[in-house]
Amino acid sequence: MRHFISVNQLEADEMYQIIRKANELRDRPNQLNRQLFAGNLFFEPSTRTKMSFTVAERKLGVEILDFHIEASSLAKGESLYDTAKTFEAIGANFLVIRHPSDQWISELEQEGKLNIPVINAGSGKEEHPTQCMLDLLTMYQEFGSIKGLKVVIAGDIKHSRVARSNAKALTKLGAKVIFSAAPGFEDHTLEYPYLTMDEAIEEADVLMLLRIQHERHLHKAETSDYLSLYGLTKERYKKLQDHAIIMHPAPINRGVEIDTSLVESEKSRIFKQMDNGVYVRMAIIMHVLSEWGIIHENNLIKCKSLTAI
Ligand code: ASP
């Protein structure tokens, strides 16, 4: 795997390998047995992804080369490729990139040759592979397997990279993906069945809600009736199956896609997803670095967890 850009790059058994590794890392943190540097290049706002990459890298003992666009030579017109090459030249062993464009990876590859791996931390509306892997881990922890699950992805499908990455990976792992969207938020270029929220709610093993992606809309969407028509209300919550869980990649528009009282309800795994994000990102970093021969997984320092004094 040259760079980790799309969930399409992973075979089903590799997905499970990462999921299991992430689970293992929760109980047994490992450190890499050599000094490594990561460049975290975030060209779009991020809280969870950026912070959980930071924690994942620190837990692995990786030094972080933090980056602020406004204070970098990008502000003087330097290209993404030249910025990435600069990080490579000064010793970054891998890059984590979030970018608003869907094309940045092909631009990076066209301009020349980057000799370090890149991990996609969210690109345009097409891919968010690390979010997808942490979502899969959350479902795996709950159900033990992904095969046969009915996963309803509900919300602004048209502008969501989370929906795209998840739909592809879930299908590969044998889940049934169902979409539910308000008029105008569907994407019929993606071949998945649609149900209304009321129909979908009774089918779902997993209800994955999506944020309305206002920043990708030309006109601000009107949301005053959204919750009652398309969102997860308290009434709909009661109709979920006993074993069903609720997920959301966050940030959440409280009172829009979900009633605010349900964000931390019994069925909600929203904060569990965030916790899982750290371990999945550790597992992905290890997977990519070992594929490049930068580390060998049997060359890890196993850290004993510190007991509180
Ligand atoms: N945090 C996720 C993303 O970066 C979901 C969202 O922003 O709504 O795509």
Side-chain angles (χ1 to χ4, degrees):
M1 180 158 61
R2 185 154 165 72
H3 304 301
F4 182 46
I5 301 303
S6 164
V7 286
N8 283 337
Q9 293 171 273
L10 297 175
E11 295 306 327
D13 60 334
E14 259 181 310
M15 288 192 203
Y16 277 116
Q17 218 179 305
I18 291 173
I19 288 169
R20 291 197 188 101
K21 168 60 82 187
N23 240 352
E24 203 184 294
L25 284 164
R26 171 186 301 278
D27 310 324
R28 190 174 54 91
N30 286 305
Q31 289 223 328
L32 308 173
N33 196 10
R34 58 169 282 201
Q35 187 184 36
L36 291 173
F37 293 94
N40 291 345
L41 278 57
F42 279 69
F43 297 91
E44 258 192 352
S46 173
T47 301
R48 276 150 292 274
T49 307
K50 186 166 185 201
M51 288 306 122
S52 63
F53 263 111
T54 302
V55 175
E57 289 158 349
R58 295 218 169 119
K59 277 182 185 271
L60 287 171
V62 174
E63 303 280 343
I64 299 161
L65 306 170
D66 212 356
F67 174 77
H68 300 279
I69 308 169
E70 341 60 76
S72 75
S73 288
L74 278 161
K76 300 182 197 162
E78 190 164 52
S79 70
L80 177 59
Y81 177 74
D82 286 336
T83 307
K85 276 306 269 188
T86 303
F87 272 83
E88 177 189 320
I90 62 177
N93 300 93
F94 66 98
L95 299 177
V96 174
I97 302 183
R98 165 169 289 196
H99 204 281
S101 150
D102 294 326
Q103 273 86 44
W104 61 266
I105 186 70
S106 49
E107 282 164 21
L108 261 191
E109 298 217 299
Q110 266 159 23
E111 275 196 64
K113 192 160 159 32
L114 199 59
N115 297 306
I116 50 173
V118 174
I119 300 175
N120 182 357
S123 52
K125 66 175 178 57
E126 288 304 322
E127 278 277 5
H128 199 345
T130 65
Q131 173 74 43
C132 170
M133 292 306 298
L134 74 90
D135 291 338
L136 296 178
L137 170 59
T138 309
M139 294 180 224
Y140 175 82
Q141 287 167 337
E142 200 71 35
F143 301 104
S145 169
I146 309 293
K147 198 167 176 199
L149 288 179
K150 277 192 191 164
V151 182
V152 173
I153 306 182
D156 188 359
I157 306 278
K158 190 170 181 176
H159 303 99
S160 172
R161 53 193 175 207
V162 176
R164 280 170 179 68
S165 290
N166 268 291
K168 285 183 272 197
L170 284 163
T171 305
K172 190 178 264 183
L173 297 183
K176 180 169 169 48
V177 174
I178 300 164
F179 284 163
S180 180
F185 288 172
E186 310 100 329
D187 185 341
H188 293 293
T189 63
L190 305 171
E191 292 182 1
Y192 296 93
Y194 279 82
L195 290 179
T196 65
M197 191 55 148
D198 287 311
E199 291 164 342
I201 208 95
E202 297 185 20
E203 297 275 322
D205 296 309
V206 177
L207 176 62
M208 184 184 291
L209 299 164
L210 302 172
R211 181 177 67 90
I212 300 182
Q213 312 269 304
H214 290 292
E215 71 279 20
R216 299 191 210 288
H217 295 187
L218 286 177
H219 307 288
K220 191 166 182 340
E222 166 55 45
T223 57
S224 51
D225 292 336
Y226 190 90
L227 179 66
S228 63
L229 294 173
Y230 313 106
L232 185 64
T233 57
K234 287 188 249 181
E235 294 68 37
R236 290 192 179 110
Y237 180 86
K238 287 186 207 136
K239 294 191 184 143
L240 283 163
Q241 303 187 72
D242 288 347
H243 65 265
I245 59 166
I246 304 164
M247 296 172 58
H248 191 308
I252 301 162
N253 291 310
R254 283 175 179 260
V256 179
E257 57 265 0
I258 181 168
D259 186 286
T260 195
S261 68
L262 301 176
V263 173
E264 293 180 61
S265 60
E266 201 196 320
K267 291 182 181 300
S268 170
R269 298 294 180 271
I270 298 173
F271 290 95
K272 178 94 181 286
Q273 287 172 264
M274 295 178 205
D275 177 44
N276 282 337
V278 171
Y279 301 99
V280 139
R281 289 175 174 121
M282 287 173 80
I284 290 169
I285 292 169
M286 288 166 71
H287 189 79
V288 171
L289 295 183
S290 65
E291 292 237 342
W292 277 63
I294 296 171
I295 59 153
H296 297 285
E297 286 207 22
N298 52 4
N299 202 3
L300 295 167
I301 306 167
K302 299 200 172 71
C303 308
K304 285 209 182 94
S305 37
L306 297 172
T307 18
I309 304 170

